[in-house]
Amino acid sequence: MNLPAMDQVKIGVIGLGYVGLPLAVAFGRRFRTFGFDLKAERVAELKAGLDSTLETSAEELASATQLSFTSEAAGIAACNVYIVTVPTPINAAKIPDLSPLKRASRALGNLVKRGDTVIFESTVYPGATEEVCIPIIEELAGLKYNQDFYAGYSPERINPGDKQHRVENILKVTSGSTPEVADFVDRLYGAVITAGTYKASSIRVAEAAKVIENTQRDVNIALINELAMIFNRLGIDTLEVLEAAGTKWNFLPFRPGLVGGHCIGVDPYYLTHKSQEVGYHPAMILAGRRLNDNMAIYVANRVIRLMIKAGIAVSGSRILVLGLTFKENCPDIRNTKIIDMVRELEDVGARVDIHDPWVNPADARAEYGIDLVASPEPGAYDAVVLAVAHDEFRSLGVAGVRAFGADPSVVYDIKYLLPADAVDGRL
């Protein structure tokens, strides 16, 4: 087995988004590293020391002295380790869309040489690496898996917008296609991950571990969302209940809310897809997904009911939604459920404005066909929905949020940013 020595490693990171860029920066401080992305404009901004995802600073980019960027596949041809960090979304039917992963595998089929190792980080169902990706590489490269080239899987654990949990200080699960390759992959990540590594027994185990991390969170949030619906009917404040229950040492501190983003709202469908493929219907996971997917509609209907109760005509009304991103203090709008709530409000004749200082207006227009409002008009809105817990919205306080409303108007707080007695409704 002709695996390279650590001082001979040259790494190519394929995909420079929220996952790939921080990883490339970490490796670029220790190894010769090449970051590859198909988007030439993305590569250009990174070469200029800018990161529009805000996951890395100019100082962090500059610290990766052995890192370079390219939008040409030929620019990573000299590498002997390739790490794939492309998105793994779902389609409109909520079926895993492996097309980005297959495209990356085809690109690797034209790059991989004898002795090379390919490591996947993208979230997949158990078996996808060796059942889908490896055969594509084998066919195009004309090489034999585990004889001419090797594979590993090390699931990403990036949390967008989190400045405390960074790639280097999050424990990294690793795996390889043979025991020797597993050791190599583990040593490679261990050279840059200060939190340490955990070597799984196989690629399939590592794939499964990743996909259940977010599935577990999804199911737990679904439970709390259902409890919120029950407590709303009972006239009990959900947060007060959760805080009281949270005084027990082993009560899990989940909160209700809209479950969007590229991970929690997507990953469970990869596991359920594979589960159904082998003949098992995953009842609990899919029930949680249905509940969480419908929370945006539930919130919209709560706002509508509050407006009607206040004597405000919903049709023709103006509603301000504060926040578009799927989570606070980051610009990520992938799979945000805010848009589902907005569409539901628009369906009943409301005119909805969205304000989010974290989002690039061009991205909102391209992704959802909406034009953000840069400066909401004071006193102009029949309802205000606090949808995302950005620091900017938190700092507004009760008076700042109420100032956007007309007289009368309602304020609905999804994220518990304001006291219960200062809003008209909250989850």
Side-chain angles (χ1 to χ4, degrees):
M1 183 168 287
N2 52 348
L3 293 167
M6 285 291 119
D7 61 357
Q8 298 298 313
V9 165
K10 293 182 180 179
I11 300 172
V13 178
I14 299 175
L16 297 175
Y18 285 87
V19 174
L21 180 63
L23 186 70
V25 168
F27 276 121
R29 297 189 184 111
R30 170 69 173 78
F31 301 99
R32 188 74 184 97
T33 304
F34 302 83
F36 169 75
D37 199 286
L38 286 172
K39 297 178 180 177
E41 61 273 19
R42 174 66 168 158
V43 170
E45 74 172 21
L46 294 174
K47 285 182 176 180
L50 303 172
D51 173 23
S52 58
T53 70
L54 305 181
E55 287 301 301
T56 56
S57 65
E59 293 74 20
E60 287 172 324
L61 284 170
S63 72
T65 56
Q66 299 188 66
L67 172 62
S68 58
F69 301 106
T70 181
S71 58
E72 301 292 336
I76 57 173
C79 297
N80 47 25
V81 174
Y82 295 95
I83 302 177
V84 179
T85 62
V86 298
T88 44
I90 55 175
N91 63 20
K94 304 189 187 307
I95 296 172
D97 178 7
L98 295 177
S99 55
L101 205 56
K102 290 177 179 178
R103 284 196 297 270
S105 298
R106 286 193 290 271
L108 287 169
N110 295 313
L111 293 167
V112 169
K113 308 169 295 300
R114 282 183 171 81
D116 288 355
T117 300
V118 178
I119 304 168
F120 291 86
E121 289 214 358
S122 307
T123 302
V124 291
Y125 53 76
T129 297
E130 293 174 297
E131 294 168 8
V132 177
C133 303
I134 296 303
I136 294 173
I137 299 171
E138 277 188 311
E139 180 180 358
L140 292 176
L143 300 174
K144 186 69 175 176
Y145 179 48
N146 278 339
Q147 179 177 310
D148 300 318
F149 75 100
Y150 316 100
Y153 184 82
S154 181
E156 60 89 4
R157 283 177 164 172
I158 293 295
N159 186 26
D162 190 335
K163 301 306 179 185
Q164 292 184 325
H165 299 96
R166 313 294 289 164
V167 64
E168 296 94 339
N169 60 22
I170 302 172
L171 191 90
K172 201 80 163 73
V173 174
T174 66
S175 65
S177 53
T178 72
E180 295 82 6
V181 174
D183 288 341
F184 171 75
V185 172
D186 197 64
R187 287 197 309 274
L188 183 68
Y189 280 98
V192 299
I193 304 296
T194 58
T197 59
Y198 178 93
K199 185 168 59 174
S201 63
S202 69
I203 288 175
R204 286 167 61 86
V205 167
E207 291 169 325
K210 167 56 184 174
V211 80
I212 71 164
E213 288 177 12
N214 287 321
T215 300
Q216 181 190 65
R217 286 181 56 78
D218 192 44
V219 170
N220 276 285
I221 296 170
L223 170 63
I224 302 302
N225 276 337
E226 187 162 64
L227 292 175
M229 294 180 186
I230 294 170
F231 296 142
N232 283 334
R233 284 180 175 268
L234 295 175
I236 304 173
D237 186 79
T238 302
L239 183 60
E240 289 185 18
V241 175
L242 294 175
E243 288 177 338
T247 59
K248 190 180 183 199
W249 73 91
N250 60 354
F251 186 82
L252 300 178
F254 287 94
R255 292 290 184 266
L258 306 184
V259 183
H262 189 64
C263 294
I264 299 178
V266 173
D267 294 355
Y269 288 117
Y270 275 75
L271 184 57
T272 58
H273 170 79
K274 188 63 176 180
S275 174
Q276 290 170 325
E277 192 176 82
V278 296
Y280 179 78
H281 180 76
M284 179 179 288
I285 298 172
L286 287 174
R289 276 284 74 234
R290 284 193 295 272
L291 199 150
N292 284 341
D293 272 347
N294 286 321
M295 278 305 290
I297 296 172
Y298 173 79
V299 168
N301 288 331
R302 288 271 294 166
V303 173
I304 291 166
R305 289 172 65 89
L306 287 169
M307 293 174 68
I308 293 171
K309 187 176 180 180
I312 302 170
V314 178
S315 181
S317 65
R318 294 189 65 188
I319 298 176
L320 175 64
V321 174
L322 294 175
L324 177 63
T325 62
F326 87 90
K327 64 177 293 186
E328 67 277 2
N329 300 329
C330 83
D332 196 346
I333 59 174
R334 293 176 298 174
N335 193 37
T336 176
K337 293 302 175 181
I338 307 299
I339 201 69
D340 294 352
M341 178 186 68
V342 170
R343 300 303 187 214
E344 188 74 6
L345 293 170
E346 289 176 335
D347 279 348
V348 293
R351 295 165 53 203
V352 183
D353 287 346
I354 306 175
H355 172 62
D356 195 320
W358 281 83
V359 177
N360 184 327
D363 292 341
R365 193 176 303 112
E367 187 74 17
Y368 299 111
I370 59 174
D371 291 312
L372 297 178
V373 173
S375 300
E377 181 183 349
Y381 296 96
D382 301 295
V384 180
V385 181
L386 279 160
V388 185
H390 292 320
D391 289 343
E392 290 87 344
F393 301 152
R394 192 182 299 274
S395 66
L396 286 172
V398 176
V401 173
R402 284 285 180 188
F404 292 122
D407 185 18
S409 62
V410 302
V411 172
Y412 190 86
D413 187 358
I414 296 176
K415 302 299 293 185
Y416 302 114
L417 293 183
L418 302 179
D421 60 1
V423 298
D424 301 287
R426 61 183 189 173
L427 274 178

